[in-house]
Amino acid sequence: MDTLRPKPPASAGILLTYRCTCECKHCMYACSPRMPNDWIDEAGLLKVLKELAPSIVPSSPRGRVGVNEGLHFTGGEPFLNYPLLKRAVRLAEGLGYPSVFVETNCFWCLSEEIAIEKFNELRETGLEGVLLSVNPFLIENIPLERVENGITAAVEVFNPQNVLVYHTLYLTLLRKLSVRGTLRFEEYLEKAARVDPYLFLRGFDPSLLLPMGRLVYTLRKLYKTKPAKEFFKTSCAEELTRPWHVHVDCYYNYIPGYCAGLSLGDARKLKELLQGVNLDDKPVLAALRNSLGDLYKLAVGGYGYKEREEGYISRCHFCLDIRLHLALEVGGFTELQPSCFYKSILETTVKGVTE
Ligand code: SF4
Ligand code: SF4
């Protein structure tokens, strides 16, 4: 049997849902208000947390949180279902989880008082910190004032070192632009490039803005592209087995790293997965483990995929474009989950063509 051996996860994020108030151009998980209103089931979540618990490591020093440490609850937007978020935090606390934080886009931070009240409740339930998303994509939908309310409240309630603003570079830039309310991305491009060209360019650095997920279609024109053959020799074995910042979604898919739309299996049976994921019936994962050239051969030779003449901005673009074809035009690949992710990406590409 051909198997893949993931390393025991040291840090993980749980996507409570794919549903979000926003539809950010860069969203890795293709979340949007149109995603199904599906949320992780509490009994299933408890199983997942029990499976993850033995290997998750705390931030150092203990009591701190970090993007690639401990456990975080995310989405989609977790605060769309605040009662579930609170129960999830309680479950994690009951199992003694270290370094637990939640990620939010602050849509609900209508005032500092509202934000302080909810953060206080969550802190008393066991939450140790918060990650507040800040970027020009989110600001198309969420007024910057709400994000500022969230930041002020979080600093008041939590250890300020446990308040992660992701990313401070964008916050600095948006403040420099004196944004009031929301801002269209096209306007951001025009203004930010003029006001601070250095920070503007840094904002597209792949270490900040990963060229994967929805972005590869929405922002393709801002990047240089390469033909498929440039990616043929790349293997994704490391990403597929890495121990840090893995994800589990609301359907219990165990997602390697940031590779949205790929599932190694049911996270409620993580112990079994860590013994080895059977690749005999998962040709996409088997190909990705070997090389993107193998994925290309599989898709072109076996399933009629056609290379994009305009090229690809990154290996993850190449990978996603092939997976999109396999998931929606062919079907039957158990490792390509969930289907709502691929449908949402398809909506983006259709929109991209008409824009
Ligand atoms: S706020 Fe976050 S989860 Fe929601 S669409 Fe934007 S990036 Fe995705
Ligand atoms: S190319 Fe595919 S498998 Fe590899 S890191 Fe990117 S999304 Fe993940």
Side-chain angles (χ1 to χ4, degrees):
M1 185 169 75
D2 188 15
T3 56
L4 181 78
R5 286 284 293 265
K7 298 183 181 74
S11 60
I14 310 276
L15 276 73
L16 299 183
T17 182
Y18 282 88
R19 187 121 158 154
C20 190
T21 51
C22 299
E23 187 169 349
C24 297
K25 285 183 169 63
H26 72 312
C27 187
M28 285 190 283
Y29 295 92
C31 299
S32 87
R34 291 191 308 282
M35 280 299 219
N37 198 13
D38 291 343
W39 293 80
I40 201 162
D41 168 80
E42 222 177 307
L45 173 61
L46 180 60
K47 280 188 192 157
V48 170
L49 291 176
K50 281 183 177 168
E51 293 280 309
L52 286 169
S55 56
I56 297 292
V57 295
S59 223
S60 177
R62 221 182 156 93
R64 293 282 298 277
V65 302
V67 179
N68 295 322
E69 289 149 341
L71 178 81
H72 63 281
F73 294 110
T74 183
E77 174 49 51
F79 281 80
L80 276 173
N81 190 341
Y82 179 68
L84 176 66
L85 172 61
K86 210 170 146 185
R87 290 198 297 275
V89 171
R90 186 168 292 129
L91 288 179
E93 175 71 2
L95 292 169
Y97 262 94
S99 308
V100 180
F101 68 94
V102 64
E103 243 181 279
T104 182
N105 66 22
C106 293
F107 84 95
W108 55 277
C109 298
L110 300 178
S111 69
E112 280 176 28
E113 293 69 33
I114 290 173
I116 286 172
E117 190 189 324
K118 286 217 162 45
F119 283 151
N120 260 327
E121 271 186 11
L122 289 169
R123 186 179 51 80
E124 282 158 17
T125 310
L127 197 73
E128 287 163 272
V130 60
L131 183 150
L132 306 132
S133 305
V134 191
N135 56 68
F137 312 106
L138 177 141
I139 294 301
E140 289 205 279
N141 280 287
I142 311 281
L144 186 61
E145 293 83 340
R146 293 195 194 177
V147 177
E148 298 279 14
N149 288 340
I151 295 171
T152 308
V155 168
E156 182 160 332
V157 172
F158 298 101
N159 173 349
Q161 288 173 317
N162 285 357
V163 177
L164 311 172
V165 173
Y166 198 82
H167 198 282
T168 50
L169 180 146
Y170 295 122
L171 181 62
T172 306
L173 198 40
L174 290 166
R175 282 176 175 166
K176 276 192 176 188
L177 299 184
S178 307
V179 175
R180 297 276 171 274
T182 58
L183 181 72
R184 299 290 307 147
F185 184 63
E186 293 67 28
E187 231 181 302
Y188 167 83
L189 287 179
E190 191 268 310
K191 283 187 179 166
R194 197 159 27 84
V195 170
D196 193 329
Y198 172 72
L199 280 191
F200 172 70
L201 286 177
R202 280 273 292 114
F204 287 99
D205 188 304
S207 61
L208 287 191
L209 201 55
L210 302 177
M212 60 202 309
R214 186 182 276 141
L215 173 154
V216 303
Y217 297 105
T218 55
L219 301 188
R220 182 180 59 80
K221 288 180 184 156
L222 298 177
Y223 289 83
K224 285 196 183 118
T225 56
K226 293 178 185 169
K229 65 176 188 323
E230 295 286 323
F231 304 103
F232 283 177
K233 289 192 180 142
T234 309
S235 155
C236 290
E238 202 175 319
E239 284 78 4
L240 297 177
T241 56
R242 79 182 205 190
W244 58 277
H245 212 127
V246 302
H247 288 93
V248 175
D249 73 10
C250 53
Y251 309 108
Y252 312 113
N253 292 306
Y254 187 79
I255 304 165
Y258 302 124
C259 305
L262 275 178
S263 175
L264 298 190
D266 188 334
R268 289 169 297 185
K269 298 176 187 163
L270 183 60
K271 272 189 227 64
E272 283 174 31
L273 294 184
L274 296 180
Q275 295 304 309
V277 177
N278 179 3
L279 295 183
D280 290 341
D281 58 355
K282 298 180 188 66
V284 176
L285 281 181
L288 282 168
R289 187 265 323 263
N290 294 343
S291 71
L292 288 174
D294 275 17
L295 181 67
Y296 181 80
K297 268 189 231 149
L298 173 82
V300 172
Y303 299 105
Y305 175 75
K306 288 194 177 56
E307 179 176 348
R308 282 192 178 256
E309 278 175 20
E310 65 272 30
Y312 307 88
I313 68 166
S314 63
R315 66 168 162 162
C316 299
H317 182 191
F318 179 51
C319 167
L320 177 56
D321 203 62
I322 290 180
R323 289 191 278 125
L324 188 64
H325 173 81
L326 296 178
L328 297 181
E329 301 294 323
V330 184
F333 297 91
T334 54
E335 66 271 53
L336 301 183
Q337 303 287 344
S339 59
C340 64
F341 167 79
Y342 290 99
K343 286 179 193 149
S344 180
I345 291 285
L346 179 70
E347 282 173 17
T348 302
T349 63
V350 171
K351 218 168 132 196
V353 169
T354 55
E355 264 172 5

